Amino acid sequence: SEGMSETTRGIIPNMPRTTEVADNVIAVVETASTNTLARQMLRDGTMAPPADGGAGVAVVATDVQSAGRGRLERTWVSAPGESMTCSYIATLPVGVIADGSVNGWLTVIAGFAALDALRGALAECGVASEDCGLRLKWPNDLFCQGRKLGGILTEMVPLPGRDDSAALVIGIGINLAIPADRLPTEQSTSLQLHVQGLPDARTLRDMIAAHIVRSLSSRLSGFVADPHAAAERLREETSRVCWTLGRRVEARFTDGSVLTGTATALNADASLSVRDDAGENHVVHTADVGVLPL
């Protein structure tokens, strides 16, 4: 379409494993942002929304992302053959996506789908995932051995002519084969720095993406069926793998203020409780939260 030609260059080969399990797969050589491309295609009708209730998941994948977006307008740039940069699209009831008492768990679900997928792909390769120390850092990062392996950005996209449902677009970026001297920060890492004998990054991307589709479909369908009961289960599950809990953190807010303290609990709405050095408790809903070194 005319809209696609403005943001993409060429077409990359299909992702066979992902194509088998996803409602639709759009794979391009280069785009500014897979989330932006997914939003555009949903709005102009280039991509039909997946089946309702999270039962169907569509995928937008790229080999090169030149202006990917993270939380708080950070950028995520990927080079060919080094990272997995994909967006996953599900159709959910507006009442679930817009419900502030539970919608914070949608990003957590995306994080668990990524963990499920990494463990599944590693198992296929004969690797024990326990060796990687995979964890979630609140609210949207994937950690491996205490370093950032990937990040997640979730966005709601209204669907033309649909008042009762909307699209949830989930961008997931994972460092797969970035050399140590080219990592974006000192706190980041790449999967192949921890695991030997993995396939090339493009094959591994297809394996992980297919597992993410399966996990997202299952987890989102269960969440839509009973959001509050699912949220309580997620809180218990997250507490077991959350890198943030019990550690000293620094929360930076969009107004420039900073909160330093200890992350003490995940709350029912997926917010984070932080106790500052004076012993006062704070509830953090949206912030850039970093774990401070010991």
Side-chain angles (χ1 to χ4, degrees):
S1 74
E2 181 179 353
M4 281 187 63
S5 66
E6 295 175 357
T7 52
T8 66
R9 303 178 195 171
I11 302 296
I12 65 174
N14 288 333
M15 300 166 66
R17 290 171 178 257
T18 308
T19 300
E20 285 184 5
V21 297
D23 269 24
N24 190 14
V25 177
I26 302 295
V28 299
V29 169
E30 180 174 344
T31 188
S33 159
T34 56
N35 265 33
T36 299
L37 179 57
R39 289 169 56 188
Q40 175 185 324
M41 295 177 71
L42 287 165
R43 286 170 174 168
D44 65 18
T46 308
M47 173 182 286
D52 287 354
V57 177
V59 182
V60 175
T62 189
D63 209 30
V64 179
Q65 182 170 259
S66 58
R69 294 175 294 114
R71 282 173 62 88
L72 304 181
E73 301 305 316
R74 284 200 174 93
T75 57
W76 183 295
V77 178
S78 63
E82 292 187 352
S83 303
M84 188 195 85
T85 46
C86 299
S87 292
Y88 303 83
I89 303 101
T91 304
L92 302 179
V94 169
V96 172
I97 297 180
D99 185 347
S101 69
V102 294
N103 62 10
W105 293 107
L106 292 171
T107 297
V108 177
I109 286 173
F112 273 114
L115 290 189
D116 293 342
L118 285 164
R119 291 167 178 152
L122 290 172
E124 284 189 56
C125 298
V127 175
S129 60
E130 290 81 4
D131 297 341
C132 297
L134 296 172
R135 297 287 187 271
L136 296 178
K137 183 178 80 66
W138 189 93
N140 67 322
D141 286 339
L142 308 170
F143 263 44
C144 174
Q145 299 292 0
R147 294 179 179 272
K148 183 174 177 177
L149 182 66
I152 297 163
L153 178 68
T154 55
E155 302 177 278
M156 182 185 81
V157 179
L159 296 173
R162 304 273 291 271
D163 295 328
D164 59 339
S165 59
L168 181 70
V169 177
I170 304 165
I172 300 179
I174 302 176
N175 300 330
L176 298 180
I178 302 178
D181 61 354
R182 294 192 57 245
L183 288 168
T185 70
E186 293 181 358
Q187 290 75 41
S188 56
T189 192
S190 184
L191 190 62
Q192 293 195 3
L193 296 177
H194 299 270
V195 182
Q196 303 299 315
L198 294 176
D200 65 272
R202 288 180 175 88
T203 300
L204 188 58
R205 171 181 59 190
D206 189 23
M207 295 171 66
I208 294 171
H211 280 287
I212 287 177
V213 169
R214 293 189 188 96
S215 180
L216 271 179
S217 178
S218 174
R219 285 180 175 272
L220 287 174
S221 295
F223 189 79
V224 168
D226 191 341
H228 289 279
E232 187 56 38
R233 292 193 299 269
L234 281 164
R235 182 158 65 154
E236 294 175 5
E237 187 177 8
T238 306
S239 67
R240 296 192 291 270
V241 298
C242 185
W243 181 256
T244 315
L245 286 179
R247 298 179 187 273
R248 283 187 56 77
V249 299
E250 182 179 78
R252 295 183 174 273
F253 300 92
T254 54
D255 64 0
S257 61
V258 178
L259 168 66
T260 302
T262 300
T264 58
L266 286 167
N267 303 312
D269 62 353
S271 61
L272 182 71
S273 288
V274 177
R275 185 178 64 248
D276 67 21
D277 294 337
E280 183 178 351
N281 289 316
H282 305 260
V283 176
V284 179
H285 291 278
T286 302
D288 179 19
V289 177
V291 174
L292 298 174
L294 298 175

